[in-house]
Amino acid sequence: MKLREIYQDKEKYLNQDISLEGWIKTARTGKNISFISLTDGSSFKPLQVVLDQDTKMDDQVKLNISSSLKVQGRLVESQGKGQDVELKAESLEILGESDPSYPLQKKRHSAEYLRTIAHLRPRANLFQAVFRVRSLLAFAVHKFFQERGFVYAQTPLITGSDAEGAGEMFRVTTLDLKDVPRKEDGSVDYSKDFFNKETHLTVSGQLQAEVFALAFRDVYTFGPTFRAENSNTQRHAAEFWMIEPEMAFADLQVNMDVAEAMVKYIITYVLDHAPDEMAFFNEFVDKGLLDRLHNVVDNDFERISYTEAVDLLKKSGQKFDYPVEWGIDLQTEHERYLTEKIFKRPVFVTDYPKEIKAFYMRENDDKKTVAAMDLLVPGVGEIIGGSQREERYHILKKKIEDNGLNMKDYEWYLDLRKYGTAVHSGYGLGFERAVMYVTGVSNIRDVTAFPRTVGHAEF
Ligand code: 4AD
Ligand code: MG
């Protein structure tokens, strides 16, 4: 049986004979009695297995860390500290002996070293907790939207348009790099390529989600996105997952209401469904985590405009590496100051200068700002970027032109404004950043199973 089943109903299995498979987390061997801490991955909590002279096993048995085994015995109340039940083993069989060179021995390893053994680190406590919570968060996201009738749309990973208009895309091509066909003017001739045009990995599913929102009203995407951003930071990855709801007949206020409700919902879900893992993070990763998360769930998020944010930062007297002026893109240091020092909770910043935001955001009446919103949280900074979309045909067309984008690639997008346009809004939650926020883990590489960052695509 599985450890999870035991911990779900200890009373049922107490004083019963059971059989378990699993791996040795740690072992203490003595002359007459030995203890194994056994895990099978199905529960964060291991089970203590007690071996004594009566336990039937091979005389030569070695209890190496990470050896897989099968053990049969009786679940009894534990005499020892730290657990209320343990398994008194009647027989034990090693299924796969682990070589003594196994790197995850008891001593603590650096995060950098653990990244080099990404194929083994999921067995360590920290990653057991991270990836279980990540899985639950993904489920909670789906649950939140599905309960509200949102349609889950799967948008393409290979795209012919740049959703952010920022040019930070990975090219998809089958052309032979040694002999790329060229046009007369020297530019690459993509008509000879697989798709007969230039294509990329998607940076966001938003534009295609808008297609669905103007057909189904409330929709969301949840999938991988790719960015060739040359940012070597703790919160940027080249491959990350994004949750992108899109809603017709919804303005920026509704957008923020949904984002706030979703963040609170997924935090609550994880607090309820992974108490052991969350207690672990609170103890070993981020001491104030649980208090902070309860606070987040119980209180309204702050909402301020970009202009107010800039004023607050300027008035703070704080010396920033990057000086604050109206018009700058807020840097991580500014975002973190706002949310960690000034408000000490999540903050929506709205109505950014149009020059620093994407072409599809709706222009405000002041003609200087757009109906954008970013959600900033302590410890991470921006976790959500969203906006009300430009629904007016002519204004959007001009924006596409002014941004130097290829009109042919966006004709379908403009059609949405031609055939029954509607006020609509949406946002993108960076899934890894959400996992960082909820676990307190400070590096995106440690909440991603096989991180892809500048210079790294191992495994
Ligand atoms: O702010 P961004 O660029 O917004 C969009 O892509 C919109 N199309 C979303 C929408 O409105 N549907 O990205 C959204 C979020 C960011 O707030 C951040 O959390 C995450 O995606 N993100 C990254 N996460 C990890 N590594 C990167 N390189 C990221 N770039 C963005
Ligand atoms: Mg953004």
Side-chain angles (χ1 to χ4, degrees):
M1 66 183 301
K2 297 174 190 175
L3 265 188
R4 173 172 187 274
E5 297 167 280
I6 294 178
Y7 284 127
Q8 273 174 346
D9 195 353
K10 275 186 291 211
E11 297 304 312
K12 181 169 166 198
Y13 297 104
L14 197 62
N15 300 318
Q16 302 291 315
D17 283 324
I18 56 174
S19 160
L20 288 168
E21 297 93 15
W23 295 274
I24 299 176
K25 269 179 88 73
T26 55
R28 273 187 293 140
T29 38
K31 223 167 118 228
N32 301 319
I33 191 160
S34 300
F35 299 94
I36 294 174
S37 173
L38 180 85
T39 181
D40 69 355
S42 70
S43 138
F44 188 61
K45 226 186 282 172
L47 183 68
Q48 171 155 286
V49 176
V50 186
L51 314 173
D52 61 20
Q53 281 126 327
D54 300 336
T55 309
K56 285 197 237 48
M57 57 185 169
D58 201 84
D59 289 344
Q60 306 300 314
V61 79
K62 287 199 226 105
L63 301 179
N64 295 351
I65 294 182
S66 199
S67 286
S68 56
L69 57 77
K70 187 173 175 133
V71 60
Q72 179 264 317
R74 179 161 291 210
L75 191 72
V76 295
E77 271 177 47
S78 177
Q79 309 302 315
K81 270 199 290 195
Q83 67 273 325
D84 42 6
V85 291
E86 62 190 19
L87 189 76
K88 197 175 164 328
E90 274 146 35
S91 70
L92 178 142
E93 181 193 352
I94 297 289
L95 302 174
E97 189 178 294
S98 177
D99 193 86
S101 62
Y102 182 66
L104 288 170
Q105 304 292 338
K106 245 183 163 175
K107 78 174 174 92
R108 278 203 169 216
H109 294 292
S110 71
E112 288 77 19
Y113 171 70
L114 289 168
R115 284 174 212 142
T116 69
I117 51 165
H119 58 307
L120 298 173
R121 71 176 181 167
R123 303 172 187 199
N125 280 341
L126 173 66
F127 299 95
Q128 285 277 305
V130 164
F131 293 116
R132 167 104 38 209
V133 164
R134 184 176 165 131
S135 164
L136 289 170
L137 278 172
F139 180 71
V141 163
H142 283 295
K143 196 163 163 1
F144 174 84
F145 287 117
Q146 296 284 338
E147 281 172 356
R148 284 158 187 75
F150 283 59
V151 168
Y152 176 31
Q154 291 88 27
T155 50
L157 300 189
I158 300 175
T159 61
S161 50
D162 180 355
E164 290 301 299
E168 291 169 329
M169 299 187 293
F170 289 103
R171 188 157 290 153
V172 175
T173 179
T174 55
L175 293 178
D176 182 353
L177 286 182
K178 288 196 290 291
D179 189 19
V180 181
R182 303 240 172 220
K183 294 192 215 157
E184 268 174 27
D185 66 1
S187 62
V188 177
D189 186 0
Y190 285 105
S191 70
K192 304 275 188 295
D193 205 349
F194 188 93
F195 296 109
N196 292 326
K197 66 177 307 229
E198 193 175 341
T199 51
H200 302 93
L201 291 179
T202 188
V203 293
S204 155
Q206 177 195 321
L207 304 195
Q208 291 90 352
E210 285 183 55
V211 169
F212 268 68
L214 285 142
F216 290 94
R217 185 163 188 157
D218 293 331
V219 305
Y220 69 106
T221 71
F222 186 178
T225 49
F226 307 87
R227 293 199 187 174
E229 266 170 301
N230 205 356
S231 326
N232 210 345
T233 77
Q234 303 216 12
R235 51 177 216 157
H236 284 92
E239 177 180 304
F240 61 98
W241 285 57
M242 209 182 342
I243 294 129
E244 297 184 274
E246 193 69 34
M247 298 162 284
F249 308 107
D251 64 11
L252 194 67
Q253 298 305 318
V254 174
N255 206 19
M256 286 189 280
D257 292 344
V258 172
E260 181 168 338
M262 179 205 63
V263 170
K264 289 177 173 173
Y265 184 97
I266 64 176
I267 291 174
T268 305
Y269 189 85
V270 166
L271 289 171
D272 288 349
H273 290 83
D276 294 341
E277 286 85 346
M278 294 307 291
F280 173 86
F281 294 127
N282 194 55
E283 188 173 347
F284 296 107
V285 178
D286 181 351
K287 286 265 185 287
L289 181 71
L290 287 180
D291 281 347
R292 212 172 61 227
L293 292 179
H294 283 294
N295 235 323
V296 168
V297 170
D298 291 341
N299 293 290
D300 288 345
F301 294 1
E302 193 66 41
R303 298 183 185 194
I304 57 167
S305 70
Y306 169 89
T307 304
E308 287 167 324
V310 166
D311 284 347
L312 284 171
L313 290 168
K314 282 170 87 168
K315 276 201 227 117
S316 73
Q318 175 77 9
K319 280 257 172 298
F320 294 107
D321 291 339
Y322 195 100
V324 183
E325 270 316 318
W326 199 96
I328 65 154
D329 203 358
L330 296 181
Q331 307 294 306
T332 307
E333 53 171 338
H334 308 133
E335 294 177 348
R336 293 190 59 170
Y337 192 85
L338 280 169
T339 178
E340 286 165 28
K341 295 284 188 298
I342 300 184
F343 293 109
K344 299 188 168 56
R345 60 189 160 128
V347 185
F348 284 109
V349 179
T350 63
D351 305 294
Y352 283 75
K354 65 177 179 188
E355 283 77 17
I356 58 171
K357 287 293 184 187
F359 70 94
Y360 52 70
M361 295 191 181
R362 191 180 198 278
E363 194 169 285
N364 287 327
D365 292 341
D366 64 12
K367 302 238 188 308
K368 288 196 304 215
T369 60
V370 286
M373 63 95 160
D374 277 5
L375 179 64
L376 317 179
V377 297
V380 186
E382 176 191 338
I383 62 168
I384 285 178
S387 66
Q388 187 172 323
R389 318 306 188 188
E390 186 54 79
E391 86 283 14
R392 296 163 295 188
Y393 182 90
H394 292 289
I395 299 180
L396 181 61
K397 186 155 183 257
K398 186 157 183 316
K399 276 282 206 56
I400 294 172
E401 283 163 7
D402 292 351
N403 275 269
L405 299 169
N406 189 352
M407 192 58 74
K408 259 186 72 192
D409 292 337
Y410 296 89
E411 270 163 9
W412 60 271
Y413 188 63
L414 275 165
D415 272 356
L416 302 177
R417 280 71 179 167
K418 196 156 129 192
Y419 303 120
T421 195
V423 166
H424 65 289
S425 302
Y427 63 84
L429 167 69
F431 187 51
E432 285 73 12
R433 291 196 188 170
V435 179
M436 291 165 69
Y437 182 49
V438 173
T439 59
V441 171
S442 58
N443 198 311
I444 197 164
R445 292 163 184 81
D446 301 327
V447 299
T448 310
F450 302 104
R452 272 84 181 92
T453 54
V454 185
H456 289 284
E458 294 87 5
F459 302 96

